[in-house]
Amino acid sequence: MPQYKAPLRDMRFQLNEVFDYAGHYASLSNGGDATPDMVDAILEGCATFCEEVLAPLYATGDSEGCSITDGVVTTPKGYKEAYKEYVAGGWQGLSHPQEYGGQGLPMSLNLLKSEMMGTANWPFTMYPGLSLGCMNTVFQFGNTEQKNLYMPPLVSGEWTGTMCLTEPQCGTDLAQIRTKAEPQPDGTYKLYGTKIYISSGEHDLADNIIHIVLARLPDAPKGTRGISLFIVPKFMVNADRSLGERNSVKAGALEHKMGIRASATCVMNFDGATGFMISEKNKGLEAMFTFMNTARIGTALQGVAHAELSYQGAVPYAKDRRSMRALTGKKDADHPNDALIWHADVRRMLLTQRAVAEGGRAMIYHAAKLADHMVAGVAEGNKAKYDDYDDRLGFYTPILKGFLTELGLECANLGMQVFGGHGYVKDYGMEQIARDARISTLYEGTTGIQALDLLGRKVLLQSRGKVVFGFTSEMIDQAKPHLLDGGPIGTMARTAFKRAIQWKVLTLRLMLRANKDRDVVSAACYDFLMYSGYVMMSHFWLKQALVAHKALASGKGSESKEFYAAKVQTAEFYFERLLPRADGHKKSMLSPTSAIMQMDNEHFSFN
Amino acid sequence: MPQYKAPLRDMRFQLNEVFDYAGHYASLSNGGDATPDMVDAILEGCATFCEEVLAPLYATGDSEGCSITDGVVTTPKGYKEAYKEYVAGGWQGLSHPQEYGGQGLPMSLNLLKSEMMGTANWPFTMYPGLSLGCMNTVFQFGNTEQKNLYMPPLVSGEWTGTMCLTEPQCGTDLAQIRTKAEPQPDGTYKLYGTKIYISSGEHDLADNIIHIVLARLPDAPKGTRGISLFIVPKFMVNADRSLGERNSVKAGALEHKMGIRASATCVMNFDGATGFMISEKNKGLEAMFTFMNTARIGTALQGVAHAELSYQGAVPYAKDRRSMRALTGKKDADHPNDALIWHADVRRMLLTQRAVAEGGRAMIYHAAKLADHMVAGVAEGNKAKYDDYDDRLGFYTPILKGFLTELGLECANLGMQVFGGHGYVKDYGMEQIARDARISTLYEGTTGIQALDLLGRKVLLQSRGKVVFGFTSEMIDQAKPHLLDGGPIGTMARTAFKRAIQWKVLTLRLMLRANKDRDVVSAACYDFLMYSGYVMMSHFWLKQALVAHKALASGKGSESKEFYAAKVQTAEFYFERLLPRADGHKKSMLSPTSAIMQMDNEHFSFN
């Protein structure tokens, strides 16, 4: 059973040495309180909470799952107490405005918290996690009354929130939403309809649940321009925030899922439920998508979380379990066989997990700085700043979400693979990680949707390639001074340099092709996404390796020396063993679309 | 929920048009009865049984699972009746000798049967499937008395069998086996020990269960040369085959697994159980490995089975479910959105599944012909023939087992991906396929073990590359006449030709490197396995495309025309979109071993 230990050594390396978060926070209008001491205290405190409270509930929550009786959902044993402790610790409001009781810290600190919590226990973390979207929406689009009414208990965590988008007939294609909102004489609305796959739609952790619901007014235009957004509380809220009568929104059922079984995924029935419009009439979808980037980066975290947890489970097993002799001869001479970790193929699996966990962490920590600026823009009432950083973030989002969750799933499967047959049975805890990881490429936009967003929207439509060219310039700038270096640094810098140029050229080629053949975008987008992910990760591995190499050269303390050396070694592994996969994606995305498009729909099966 | 339909059109195409099974059977000493009419009757009869009896039990068996009370295992509802019908149909003895009540047909027919049964319901198929190993062992190594006693009810299916290898401390590394066999004055043995992960170790489908058990005699040498093989029946068997007293071998527990939940995976306790030695003292492991190749090909089938079933689930959903407009504009003008199948990225996923299912089928049908010759060698008492074909098969086995199960798992995951969020909930039946597929890369030798077997043993040690060179010669012979062809055939032939040469060169390079650095084998083996799989599959896709292209040119009937055209199109997809992955594996396997080996064992984690 993996024993979660917060990877503070690596987190600090990246925060302090690679990404200079101290400098970053000092530059933020809301970063003043995030002093190095404060950040350290948060990391330590959160680590303890995750290791001692959340991690022990990970396996038990899975085997117990949630249950529902007459619309009342019961979460697994221990969840209530853990959530209480979470609220008492003030963890929910870390990055939310002080005027509503939060700590007003930069949102990247919330991401660090989510990373640790999610790695220790992803399904638990979804309960407070879903509140974020709700809070962001209320804060950004609610009127003063709505903000005053709902924000404080959401920020404290006494209440939680949901996002109610999906309906049986549509997930991605929200234009097809049918839930109705009928205006009432008092200015409220009555909502009718069914929403499915609503995470934390109903549970027993909080006193109230605030649903953010997409629905249509009776006279609404068809499609996406006829969707409005509503606040629908589980219990009506009086002006003094005391709870009134039960609203007619009920959980009709729980979904039986492959994994994240401790997270209550609900069918929610709105049967004349009272709702309050938020944002403008028919502009609900825009509002809903406002914080899409941060929500998707929150899901990208899942890739890192499961790679990390599965790695933490696999390493001790590989050191402990013995099988056969290593091919180069006896390693553990006092035993008849060698520990798994001596076998190169096992090391390949472990290093893949590590390279993904640490490389993905770097990608997210970089993006989180942009998100901090974006959120600061909101707080400063600086729309232009918000838009600028939202755009910049928009390039990273689909890559992080699509690529890191695909790799997280692979790494969770590799963790099982290290365990051999033991990986497949529940007792060892490795298969749960793979089942939990499996959702990450599906929700918050499937990998295909991320890929389409990246290539179709962000790269071709919105920027004519500029987002890629901007990033590849950064890659070139980083690599250039080291092209003539000896040793692994020089090798990696030259490779990154070449990949940057290759990525740029590829983007140009796809642009030209897409002008002539619109199928290119959908046919190539998955391979483009994965290619982009591998090349982007190489940039962040080189970045880490450069810092570690420099630290080694400057002769830091001996424990750190080992850490830095292992960092460079993991970077080498990434460049030598994982980055080459980009070649297959490159060739595949450039192949003619006919190979995908020519088959007649009716010829997919013959009996 | 996928509705299994036996892919008879494709099976017949491959059997009759690609691999000339009629000619093959005519050439076999035991193939006389396998006339085209007989083969057809078997295919039809088996298809009906699988579609009507086994497929409906697939999902229910998973949700119910097996249960155990006081050592008595109960299989899911309907399993008993289905198994009865299986036995009544004479399906178990299809390829077993007529002298023991079997039908004496070539073993490839048994593989076709297993393919259909396994696709319809893999966990069910494991019950009769495990008997095969037991029957093969008894038939090959039992004395006349043992054969007469055990074979008839095993062949009829009234009894089932198991293979008891794994113990808590060892799976792959069987040298570490501890189960003891103490000789008794009457020539029998008393067995003491615990075996784990014993598929079908205990269940309620058959009257008796015959365990084949690896154990050590008290004076046995250490390691693999001190292991003997024993027959341990659940109920003692009287000379007239009536059942005697209950033997002291008991199921202590059932494993709780990620998938194949309807298959009873047992902890088996041998507490002074009476056993009968089979084969020679201390030569048990050799005997056990005799039919390893066919057992592993039986597991390779699982890759094809799950790719096929997941594809069968995904295609109708992709035609039925609508989301967004295709990028090239309205396709289903009478709806506000287009069916998923119009989206190129969805087609990419479907075609990947199809290319793996049909390409894998071809690889297995080719290998099955070799297995037929091998088994004929046994029947003819021709050891040289047996050895020759066993050697030839030995090259295919790790590639088929390792590569096809990895791709089968990927395809099962793609099937979920086509369903979006619906793929993750149990109601749609797609996630079960992914959970069931997950075991296939673990049991019967993990992918890493297959990879080591391929590169270390079959390619380098045993043949100094000759097995690869033999196969690449076949590839070149097939491609050469078409190098100047126009259209897709010419393109594919040229690619296959180049890949054959590349594979050969790669093998030589690895041989040279391995001479200097033994770590090369273990560090490169996984990438070599996957590379070999992709290139080998391209050969079998070209083979199918050539047949289909020729048939098209000769102007066959219109339904067939569509089938042949789709075949060539699927081949094109394979060459353009999947084969390029070989490039990443090529680069990765040639990278320095230091990237994997240099990290100190103690530096895999830092806290």
Side-chain angles (χ1 to χ4, degrees):
Chain A
M1 206 63 87
Q3 295 292 323
Y4 175 67
K5 191 102 185 63
L8 292 178
R9 183 69 188 84
D10 191 57
M11 292 174 77
R12 287 189 174 120
F13 168 74
Q14 302 215 24
L15 292 173
N16 304 331
E17 300 179 64
V18 180
F19 294 106
D20 182 25
Y21 260 72
H24 164 67
Y25 286 148
S27 79
L28 284 178
S29 54
N30 67 336
D33 290 346
T35 59
D37 282 354
M38 171 60 117
V39 171
D40 229 49
I42 289 172
L43 291 183
E44 298 274 358
C46 190
T48 305
F49 174 66
C50 292
E51 291 165 7
E52 295 179 4
V53 180
L54 296 189
L57 298 176
Y58 183 55
T60 56
D62 180 69
S63 57
E64 202 181 327
C66 293
S67 59
I68 184 167
T69 314
D70 295 334
V72 176
V73 170
T74 309
T75 55
K77 225 169 281 158
Y79 267 50
K80 244 178 159 158
E81 294 71 20
Y83 188 76
K84 222 172 247 175
E85 205 168 316
Y86 172 80
V87 172
W91 290 111
Q92 182 70 323
L94 208 58
S95 303
H96 285 84
Q98 290 174 323
E99 58 180 309
Y100 301 116
Q103 297 179 53
L105 291 162
M107 82 141 274
S108 54
L109 275 169
N110 200 57
L111 259 168
L112 298 180
K113 174 197 88 180
S114 300
E115 180 198 334
M116 285 190 266
M117 288 179 60
T119 310
N121 191 333
W122 189 269
F124 176 91
T125 305
M126 290 181 70
Y127 291 101
L130 266 291
S131 289
L132 293 182
C134 173
M135 280 191 276
N136 284 337
T137 310
V138 173
F139 181 65
Q140 178 93 324
F141 297 101
N143 56 37
T144 310
E145 193 199 331
Q146 289 168 333
K147 285 196 267 193
N148 286 334
L149 202 58
Y150 299 110
M151 284 298 285
L154 283 169
V155 168
S156 72
E158 289 162 88
W159 300 355
T160 65
T162 76
M163 302 296 270
C164 298
L165 290 75
T166 304
E167 298 184 5
Q169 77 286 356
C170 66
T172 299
D173 191 0
L174 292 171
Q176 309 309 323
I177 273 180
R178 290 185 198 145
T179 295
K180 286 242 161 77
E182 293 181 358
Q184 305 298 308
D186 64 355
T188 67
Y189 296 81
K190 293 268 178 228
L191 274 79
Y192 296 90
T194 298
K195 296 284 182 178
I196 60 170
Y197 302 151
I198 307 308
S199 298
S200 321
E202 179 59 53
H203 58 78
D204 56 2
L205 303 182
D207 297 334
N208 202 5
I209 301 173
I210 308 303
H211 304 286
I212 303 289
V213 187
L214 289 181
R216 287 184 185 285
L217 298 176
D219 60 347
K222 282 190 176 175
T224 53
R225 283 151 203 261
I227 297 173
S228 304
L229 201 56
F230 300 87
I231 296 178
V232 180
K234 173 179 170 182
F235 287 101
M236 299 306 292
V237 181
N238 301 318
D240 64 351
R241 290 200 207 102
S242 64
L243 298 186
E245 64 181 13
R246 182 74 164 83
N247 202 354
S248 35
V249 47
K250 290 256 162 70
L254 288 178
E255 299 291 351
H256 299 285
K257 309 184 301 294
M258 183 188 203
I260 53 166
R261 295 187 67 250
S263 164
T265 310
C266 304
V267 176
M268 298 303 294
N269 297 319
F270 296 82
D271 188 18
T274 300
F276 308 92
M277 191 182 286
I278 182 167
S279 174
E280 287 173 59
K281 180 174 150 178
N282 296 336
K283 294 200 169 165
L285 216 53
E286 272 168 58
M288 189 63 123
F289 275 91
T290 300
F291 280 89
M292 192 55 95
N293 280 325
T294 50
R296 287 185 167 171
I297 289 174
T299 313
L301 265 183
Q302 198 174 353
V304 172
H306 293 316
E308 173 72 36
L309 185 64
S310 187
Y311 180 66
Q312 290 196 14
V315 168
Y317 187 80
K319 288 184 178 174
D320 195 51
R321 175 86 175 179
R322 316 181 155 278
S323 186
M324 321 292 283
R325 282 290 182 203
L327 289 192
T328 45
K330 267 185 209 179
K331 302 293 177 188
D332 301 330
D334 47 342
H335 288 92
N337 45 18
D338 294 323
L340 291 181
I341 200 168
W342 289 110
H343 297 287
D345 189 59
V346 173
R347 299 170 77 87
R348 173 188 66 80
M349 296 191 276
L350 295 174
L351 288 168
T352 301
Q353 297 182 298
R354 180 174 186 168
V356 169
E358 297 180 4
R361 183 171 294 129
M363 288 164 80
I364 285 176
Y365 287 10
H366 172 77
K369 287 168 80 171
L370 301 177
D372 277 344
H373 287 294
M374 182 187 89
V375 173
V378 178
E380 296 160 20
N382 184 342
K383 175 92 169 73
K385 182 172 177 179
Y386 169 86
D387 286 343
D388 175 30
Y389 280 97
D390 195 37
D391 274 358
R392 295 206 220 175
L393 200 58
F395 169 62
Y396 293 93
T397 306
I399 299 178
L400 267 53
K401 183 350 182 136
F403 174 73
L404 291 180
T405 58
E406 289 287 342
L407 263 67
L409 176 60
E410 176 185 339
C411 288
N413 276 316
L414 286 177
M416 290 177 67
Q417 205 67 24
V418 169
F419 275 67
H422 298 288
Y424 199 66
V425 296
K426 305 215 172 253
D427 318 41
Y428 293 85
M430 299 303 284
E431 62 87 41
Q432 183 191 349
I433 308 173
R435 282 186 291 107
D436 288 359
R438 188 63 193 85
I439 187 63
S440 63
T441 69
L442 294 167
Y443 63 9
E444 224 27 66
T446 61
T447 305
I449 292 299
Q450 304 300 331
L452 219 48
D453 180 47
L454 175 67
L455 182 58
R457 221 160 136 255
K458 307 293 174 54
V459 174
L460 299 184
L461 198 66
Q462 292 182 343
S463 80
R464 303 289 305 152
K466 275 187 205 136
V467 284
V468 174
F469 310 150
F471 189 84
T472 54
S473 295
E474 285 178 37
M475 285 186 73
I476 288 170
D477 289 347
Q478 176 177 269
K480 226 173 189 172
H482 304 282
L483 293 180
L484 301 177
D485 286 12
I489 294 292
T491 307
M492 290 190 278
R494 289 186 289 277
T495 302
F497 184 85
K498 280 186 269 181
R499 287 290 185 185
I501 292 167
Q502 186 185 55
W503 190 5
K504 197 170 166 173
V505 172
L506 259 177
T507 305
L508 284 166
R509 289 178 73 179
L510 285 180
M511 276 167 67
L512 292 174
R513 288 180 183 216
N515 283 339
K516 293 184 217 147
D517 174 3
R518 276 306 284 174
D519 281 325
V520 163
V521 175
S522 179
C525 66
Y526 166 77
D527 285 299
F528 184 78
L529 172 87
M530 297 304 288
Y531 175 92
S532 303
Y534 284 114
V535 176
M536 180 180 274
M537 195 180 259
S538 77
H539 174 70
F540 288 102
W541 263 116
L542 178 58
K543 191 179 283 297
Q544 294 181 72
L546 287 170
V547 172
H549 181 74
K550 202 171 158 190
L552 274 175
S554 77
K556 293 218 176 178
S558 95
E559 189 275 339
S560 284
K561 207 168 132 187
E562 295 174 348
F563 175 85
Y564 294 129
K567 199 47 121 173
V568 177
Q569 290 165 355
T570 311
E572 281 184 75
F573 175 84
Y574 180 79
F575 272 82
E576 297 287 354
R577 295 274 165 171
L578 297 182
L579 183 55
R581 297 180 185 180
D583 288 353
H585 291 296
K586 170 176 164 276
K587 202 181 268 190
S588 179
M589 81 176 92
L590 292 176
S591 76
T593 56
S594 58
I596 286 182
M597 301 312 294
Q598 65 188 350
M599 191 177 289
D600 191 286
N601 287 0
E602 295 314 308
H603 299 168
F604 275 76
S605 8
F606 294 92
N607 287 317
Chain B
M1 207 62 88
Q3 295 294 321
Y4 176 66
K5 190 102 185 65
L8 292 178
R9 183 68 189 86
D10 190 57
M11 293 174 77
R12 286 189 175 120
F13 167 73
Q14 303 214 24
L15 292 174
N16 304 330
E17 301 178 65
V18 180
F19 293 106
D20 182 25
Y21 261 72
H24 164 67
Y25 286 148
S27 80
L28 285 177
S29 55
N30 66 337
D33 289 346
T35 60
D37 283 354
M38 171 60 116
V39 171
D40 229 49
I42 289 172
L43 290 183
E44 297 274 358
C46 190
T48 304
F49 175 65
C50 292
E51 291 165 7
E52 295 178 3
V53 179
L54 295 190
L57 298 175
Y58 183 56
T60 56
D62 179 70
S63 56
E64 202 181 329
C66 293
S67 59
I68 184 166
T69 315
D70 295 334
V72 176
V73 171
T74 308
T75 56
K77 227 168 281 157
Y79 267 52
K80 245 178 161 159
E81 294 72 19
Y83 188 77
K84 222 173 246 174
E85 205 168 316
Y86 172 81
V87 172
W91 290 111
Q92 182 71 322
L94 209 58
S95 303
H96 286 85
Q98 290 175 324
E99 58 181 311
Y100 301 115
Q103 296 179 55
L105 292 162
M107 81 140 277
S108 54
L109 275 168
N110 200 58
L111 258 167
L112 299 180
K113 175 197 87 181
S114 300
E115 180 198 333
M116 286 190 266
M117 288 178 61
T119 310
N121 191 333
W122 189 268
F124 176 91
T125 305
M126 291 181 69
Y127 291 101
L130 266 291
S131 289
L132 293 181
C134 173
M135 281 191 276
N136 285 336
T137 310
V138 173
F139 181 65
Q140 179 94 322
F141 296 100
N143 57 35
T144 310
E145 193 197 331
Q146 289 169 332
K147 286 197 266 193
N148 287 333
L149 202 59
Y150 299 110
M151 284 298 284
L154 283 169
V155 168
S156 73
E158 288 163 88
W159 300 354
T160 64
T162 76
M163 303 296 270
C164 298
L165 290 75
T166 304
E167 298 184 4
Q169 76 287 356
C170 66
T172 299
D173 191 0
L174 293 170
Q176 310 308 324
I177 273 179
R178 290 184 197 147
T179 296
K180 286 242 163 77
E182 294 181 357
Q184 305 299 307
D186 63 354
T188 68
Y189 296 80
K190 293 266 178 229
L191 275 79
Y192 297 90
T194 298
K195 296 285 182 178
I196 61 169
Y197 302 151
I198 306 308
S199 299
S200 321
E202 180 58 53
H203 58 79
D204 55 2
L205 303 182
D207 298 332
N208 202 5
I209 300 173
I210 308 303
H211 304 285
I212 304 290
V213 187
L214 290 181
R216 288 183 183 285
L217 297 176
D219 60 346
K222 281 190 176 177
T224 53
R225 284 152 201 262
I227 298 174
S228 304
L229 201 56
F230 299 87
I231 296 177
V232 180
K234 172 179 172 183
F235 288 101
M236 300 304 294
V237 180
N238 301 318
D240 63 353
R241 290 200 206 101
S242 62
L243 300 185
E245 63 181 14
R246 183 75 165 83
N247 202 353
S248 37
V249 46
K250 290 257 163 69
L254 288 179
E255 299 292 350
H256 299 285
K257 310 184 299 295
M258 182 187 203
I260 54 165
R261 297 188 64 248
S263 164
T265 310
C266 304
V267 175
M268 299 302 296
N269 297 319
F270 296 81
D271 188 19
T274 301
F276 307 93
M277 192 184 285
I278 182 168
S279 175
E280 287 173 60
K281 180 174 149 175
N282 296 337
K283 295 201 169 165
L285 215 54
E286 271 167 59
M288 189 62 121
F289 275 90
T290 301
F291 280 89
M292 191 54 95
N293 281 324
T294 51
R296 288 185 167 172
I297 289 175
T299 312
L301 265 183
Q302 198 173 352
V304 173
H306 292 316
E308 173 73 37
L309 185 63
S310 187
Y311 180 66
Q312 290 196 15
V315 168
Y317 187 79
K319 288 184 178 176
D320 195 50
R321 175 85 176 180
R322 317 182 154 279
S323 186
M324 320 292 282
R325 283 290 181 203
L327 289 192
T328 45
K330 266 186 207 178
K331 301 295 178 188
D332 301 330
D334 48 342
H335 288 91
N337 45 16
D338 295 322
L340 291 181
I341 199 167
W342 290 111
H343 297 288
D345 190 59
V346 172
R347 299 170 77 87
R348 172 188 67 79
M349 296 192 274
L350 295 174
L351 288 168
T352 301
Q353 295 182 299
R354 181 174 186 168
V356 170
E358 297 181 5
R361 184 171 294 128
M363 288 163 81
I364 286 176
Y365 287 10
H366 172 77
K369 288 167 80 171
L370 301 177
D372 278 343
H373 287 294
M374 182 189 89
V375 174
V378 179
E380 295 160 21
N382 184 342
K383 176 91 168 76
K385 182 172 176 178
Y386 169 86
D387 286 342
D388 175 30
Y389 279 98
D390 195 36
D391 275 357
R392 295 207 219 174
L393 200 57
F395 169 61
Y396 293 93
T397 305
I399 299 179
L400 268 53
K401 199 296 186 176
F403 173 73
L404 291 181
T405 58
E406 289 287 343
L407 263 66
L409 176 60
E410 175 185 338
C411 288
N413 276 318
L414 286 176
M416 289 176 68
Q417 204 67 25
V418 170
F419 275 67
H422 298 287
Y424 199 65
V425 296
K426 304 217 172 251
D427 317 42
Y428 292 85
M430 300 303 284
E431 63 87 40
Q432 183 191 349
I433 307 173
R435 282 187 291 108
D436 287 359
R438 188 63 194 84
I439 186 63
S440 63
T441 69
L442 295 166
Y443 61 11
E444 223 28 65
T446 61
T447 305
I449 292 299
Q450 304 300 330
L452 219 48
D453 179 46
L454 175 67
L455 183 59
R457 223 160 136 254
K458 306 294 174 54
V459 174
L460 299 183
L461 198 66
Q462 291 182 343
S463 81
R464 302 289 306 148
K466 276 189 204 133
V467 284
V468 174
F469 310 150
F471 189 84
T472 54
S473 295
E474 285 178 38
M475 284 186 74
I476 288 169
D477 289 346
Q478 175 177 271
K480 224 174 191 172
H482 304 282
L483 294 180
L484 301 177
D485 286 11
I489 294 292
T491 307
M492 291 190 277
R494 288 186 291 275
T495 303
F497 184 85
K498 280 186 270 181
R499 288 290 186 185
I501 292 167
Q502 187 186 56
W503 191 4
K504 198 170 165 172
V505 173
L506 259 177
T507 305
L508 285 165
R509 289 178 73 179
L510 286 180
M511 276 167 66
L512 291 174
R513 288 180 182 215
N515 283 341
K516 293 183 219 148
D517 174 4
R518 277 306 285 173
D519 280 325
V520 164
V521 175
S522 179
C525 65
Y526 166 76
D527 285 300
F528 184 78
L529 172 86
M530 297 304 287
Y531 175 92
S532 302
Y534 284 114
V535 176
M536 179 179 274
M537 194 180 259
S538 77
H539 173 69
F540 288 102
W541 263 117
L542 179 58
K543 191 179 283 296
Q544 294 181 73
L546 287 171
V547 172
H549 182 74
K550 202 171 156 190
L552 274 175
S554 77
K556 292 217 177 179
S558 92
E559 188 277 335
S560 284
K561 210 168 126 185
E562 294 173 349
F563 175 85
Y564 293 130
K567 201 46 121 171
V568 177
Q569 290 164 357
T570 311
E572 281 185 73
F573 175 84
Y574 180 80
F575 272 82
E576 298 286 355
R577 295 274 164 171
L578 298 182
L579 182 56
R581 297 180 185 180
D583 287 354
H585 292 296
K586 170 176 163 276
K587 202 179 267 188
S588 179
M589 80 176 93
L590 291 176
S591 75
T593 57
S594 59
I596 287 182
M597 301 312 294
Q598 66 189 349
M599 191 177 288
D600 191 285
N601 287 0
E602 295 315 307
H603 299 169
F604 275 76
S605 8
F606 295 92
N607 287 319

